[in-house]
Amino acid sequence: EAGVAQSPRYKIIEKRQSVAFWCNPISGHATLYWYQQILGQGPKLLIQFQNNGVVDDSQLPKDRFSAERLKGVDSTLKIQPAKLEDSAVYLCASSGLAGVMSTDTQYFGPGTRLTVL
Amino acid sequence: GDSVTQMEGPVTLSEEAFLTINCTYTATGYPSLFWYVQYPGEGLQLLLKATKADDKGSNKGFEATYRKETTSFHLEKGSVQVSDSAVYFCALSEPGAGSYQLTFGKGTKLSVIP
């Protein structure tokens, strides 16, 4: 079974530029999460989708971050414009079978390491 | 709100030494508890989990027991190997409105030397 796929693996941009990350969850998983992991810290949830709807985006800095999951499968997270403090690893995770309530076990992708100069 | 506190690292052990990484939590309800491991350059992998009090999660020689009375979920391994060198994260998940969001500790970096 294929795991959670993310791309790109690394990205370097200058502040005020825009960047987008892509995630493809495990096939059939209805719930998708985006986390931000700053160096030396644990991951922090940014947004959670259930199918193509947003369950929780309370910690997403909406003035610069946006995310979508239009067809309830893959997802894109965008930052525009980027700030220095956005340098982090962005992790995507998925869980739960479509049509079933979310389960408590999440499976993570390899992450995208963003460096903002 | 929910929170997880785990012992700060880094932790350096010799091969075959005994490992304990402490983890305590604060939650309003009855969370599920997890240990995730992150090897260098990789994403997080689920190591083990426990969903109710007194449950013991185990995998790859690692164990952790859900202690509700002390709100703890300490990770242990009897004999570590060099390949266990990684960052270990304790986390909890508390269902709310059908959502199982994870709250993580800050992570503990383990280095095992031959």
Side-chain angles (χ1 to χ4, degrees):
Chain A
E1 178 183 89
V4 177
Q6 290 188 248
S7 66
R9 291 295 310 274
Y10 305 92
K11 190 73 176 178
I12 301 174
I13 61 172
E14 295 190 350
K15 60 183 179 183
R16 291 187 288 275
Q17 287 186 325
S18 63
V19 65
F21 313 127
W22 175 81
C23 171
N24 192 30
I26 291 173
S27 178
H29 278 191
T31 310
L32 186 147
Y33 308 79
W34 283 103
Y35 291 85
Q36 179 192 58
Q37 185 180 14
I38 293 173
L39 186 64
Q41 298 183 20
K44 182 188 80 171
L45 180 71
L46 292 175
I47 188 167
Q48 177 186 350
F49 292 94
Q50 179 75 15
N51 298 308
N52 61 350
V54 176
V55 174
D56 185 350
D57 62 357
S58 58
Q59 299 191 79
L60 187 74
K62 298 181 185 65
D63 57 335
R64 297 184 300 105
F65 286 65
S66 65
E68 60 184 15
R69 192 184 185 201
L70 294 177
K71 296 183 179 179
V73 181
D74 56 350
S75 175
T76 302
L77 176 69
K78 296 180 182 177
I79 307 175
Q80 182 179 12
K83 293 185 175 181
L84 297 177
E85 58 261 36
D86 298 332
S87 293
V89 175
Y90 291 85
L91 295 166
C92 180
S94 70
S95 70
L97 296 175
V100 179
M101 285 288 286
S102 292
T103 67
D104 60 3
T105 300
Q106 297 180 26
Y107 299 88
F108 285 79
T112 296
R113 181 176 298 277
L114 173 67
T115 302
V116 182
L117 303 175
Chain B
D2 295 349
S3 66
V4 175
T5 303
Q6 60 182 104
M7 66 183 280
E8 296 193 12
V11 174
T12 301
L13 295 173
S14 297
E15 206 166 20
E16 299 183 2
F18 184 85
L19 169 71
T20 299
I21 301 178
N22 290 337
C23 171
T24 58
Y25 68 90
T26 302
T28 53
Y30 300 94
S32 295
L33 301 174
F34 304 82
W35 278 100
Y36 279 84
V37 58
Q38 189 172 36
Y39 297 102
E42 299 184 16
L44 278 76
Q45 299 177 23
L46 177 65
L47 181 59
L48 52 85
K49 66 182 244 188
T51 57
K52 61 183 187 296
D54 299 325
D55 268 2
K56 178 184 283 187
S58 62
N59 186 25
K60 299 181 181 179
F62 291 89
E63 293 183 341
T65 301
Y66 190 144
R67 301 288 187 198
K68 192 171 187 299
E69 64 276 13
T70 55
T71 62
S72 65
F73 193 56
H74 305 321
L75 182 68
E76 296 181 336
K77 186 175 185 182
S79 177
V80 294
Q81 305 300 313
V82 173
S83 56
D84 294 327
S85 298
V87 181
Y88 292 82
F89 292 92
C90 185
L92 68 81
S93 173
E94 195 162 26
S99 165
Y100 290 86
Q101 298 175 6
L102 284 168
T103 299
F104 286 89
K106 291 187 175 182
T108 302
K109 183 176 182 179
L110 170 66
S111 297
V112 180
I113 55 177

